Amino acid sequence: MSKQLEVGLIGVGKMGKNHLRVLSMLNGVRVAFVHDPSAEAEAQAARSYGVTAARDLEAAMAKVDALIIASPTFTHIDYIKRAAGRVSTLLVEKPLAGTLAESEEVHRIAKQHGTRIQVGFIERFNPAVQVLKRMLDESPHVVSVDLTRTNKVSSRITDVDVVIDLMIHDIDLALHFNGPVAGVSAHGSRHGDMIDFASAMLTHENGRFTRIQASRITEKKMRMIQATCMDMFIDCDLLRKEIQINRQSVVSQKEGEPYVISAQTESVEVRPQEALLSELQAFIAFAKGGPAESVPTHVDGLTAMRVCDQIRHEVLS
């Protein structure tokens, strides 16, 4: 592998352009090509960043060290198949693939070709999530974690429902915080087979609980995590990147009077950091041989899709 990492990018929509912007700022990285089914979009992105537009994708992939797939979900499986055996390390935007069956196929492809795949679970790189993870790991007893994610319907997302589009981020965080899932229950609202609101309860093997709510019919955009622990209650706003801890303390009882309970609220410092920058820095380190434990891999993507599939089955049945 050359000292300068050669990276290809497939998909120059909104997310792809964000990748291109951040990649162009990284030292030791060269964007070798961009590719998009739209020749016009591809050419425009190539001109804007002074990179090569690759119409012959197979030839272009054979010359890079790493590849980012930021195309629509339904195209992931095809691009992964075309890249396997040509590119050693991939970053695939979430979800790993459009269905559980396709995600299982990706897992087989990765094993067959020895392909290292990172999944774009960008919330793991949100600085507030990273601080919260340390707090939960250090707490003597976490009871439950509640995650809420709402958005109004996006004209950009037409191929997946709210479970695959939004909730999967929080499913991954639930697994990241609380470990493997032992049981799933869910309900929701749908139009035909397209779920636009879902609420799920996950029971984890370690005895913790996770409640997740996701909506694409809510005008207010929310990204919230609340954790109930025996020693504290944590409020985490992922959009503001703010964390508050609420602790209870019992004040000494005066004779003839009931106990007086006062609550202490503490604000936790969260250092500002762009999550996409942190994610791509981790990907570059991963592509250079870094440990798989440092990033969400295709195994994590498959595990999250299995939980998604259970939730969707509960809602649609």
Side-chain angles (χ1 to χ4, degrees):
M1 184 181 293
S2 62
K3 195 169 184 181
Q4 180 170 252
L5 197 77
E6 301 283 329
V7 180
L9 173 65
I10 296 176
V12 291
K14 183 177 180 181
M15 199 63 209
K17 288 176 182 175
N18 283 331
H19 279 291
L20 195 52
R21 171 182 59 81
V22 175
L23 285 169
S24 67
M25 300 187 299
L26 295 177
N27 292 326
V29 175
R30 189 180 82 88
V31 180
F33 71 84
V34 293
H35 173 81
D36 194 277
S38 167
E40 182 181 352
E42 177 184 285
Q44 184 178 359
R47 285 194 303 270
S48 297
Y49 286 89
V51 299
T52 300
R55 298 315 296 166
D56 185 345
L57 183 57
E58 274 66 25
M61 287 193 296
K63 299 176 183 177
V64 297
D65 305 308
L67 179 68
I68 296 172
I69 299 174
S71 56
T73 298
F74 72 90
T75 67
H76 288 185
I77 184 69
D78 178 57
Y79 284 128
I80 291 169
K81 286 178 179 178
R82 293 166 71 179
R86 291 186 172 90
V87 186
S88 61
T89 310
L90 312 179
L91 169 58
V92 181
E93 271 302 332
K94 67 82 196 169
L96 179 61
T99 65
L100 177 57
E102 288 180 351
S103 299
E104 289 171 339
E105 185 175 0
V106 170
H107 181 62
R108 291 192 294 271
I109 291 169
K111 288 183 66 176
Q112 178 184 348
H113 293 277
T115 308
R116 288 157 59 87
I117 302 177
Q118 178 177 333
V119 180
F121 287 130
I122 194 170
E123 289 290 27
R124 288 207 199 183
F125 299 92
N126 185 316
V129 166
Q130 293 177 331
V131 172
L132 178 60
K133 176 71 163 64
R134 290 194 294 271
M135 294 171 64
L136 295 178
D137 287 347
E138 292 168 2
S139 175
H141 190 181
V142 179
V143 178
S144 68
V145 179
D146 297 343
L147 302 102
T148 303
R149 186 173 297 260
T150 68
N151 232 26
K152 61 183 179 180
V153 176
S154 170
S155 58
R156 189 171 58 90
I157 306 295
T158 59
D159 59 333
V160 291
D161 63 22
V162 73
V163 178
I164 304 297
D165 176 27
L166 291 183
M167 185 178 269
I168 194 169
H169 278 296
D170 292 326
I171 290 169
D172 176 67
L173 290 183
L175 296 165
H176 187 49
F177 292 149
N178 296 331
V181 168
V184 175
S185 62
H187 64 271
S189 170
R190 66 181 188 176
H191 287 99
D193 288 335
M194 190 64 74
I195 301 168
D196 49 25
F197 174 91
S199 180
M201 167 73 85
L202 312 182
T203 304
H204 296 267
E205 292 178 1
N206 62 5
R208 296 180 183 180
F209 302 96
T210 302
R211 294 185 298 182
I212 309 176
Q213 183 169 291
S215 171
R216 287 200 307 207
I217 55 176
T218 307
E219 284 300 311
K220 183 178 180 180
K221 184 176 182 178
M222 296 172 59
R223 304 284 188 271
M224 300 294 298
I225 304 177
Q226 295 176 311
T228 301
C229 309
M230 294 300 292
D231 58 335
M232 59 184 168
F233 181 83
I234 307 171
D235 269 312
C236 179
D237 187 324
L238 298 185
L239 294 177
R240 295 176 180 271
K241 297 180 175 56
E242 295 176 348
I243 297 177
Q244 286 194 329
I245 304 174
N246 300 276
R247 303 183 191 273
Q248 290 185 342
S249 58
V250 179
V251 180
S252 300
Q253 182 185 23
K254 295 181 180 180
E255 187 175 347
E257 295 181 5
Y259 283 105
V260 178
I261 301 177
S262 62
Q264 291 180 315
T265 302
E266 307 167 12
S267 294
V268 179
E269 180 183 3
V270 178
R271 295 182 178 178
Q273 175 70 40
E274 184 181 2
L276 183 58
L277 173 60
S278 297
E279 180 183 51
L280 287 174
Q281 288 172 330
F283 176 60
I284 298 309
F286 182 52
K288 290 181 176 179
E293 294 77 15
S294 63
V295 300
T297 67
H298 69 279
V299 176
D300 299 301
L302 174 58
T303 303
M305 281 297 294
R306 285 174 174 156
V307 177
C308 282
D309 195 63
Q310 289 178 273
I311 292 171
R312 296 187 76 254
H313 177 76
E314 289 269 330
V315 175
L316 295 173
S317 61

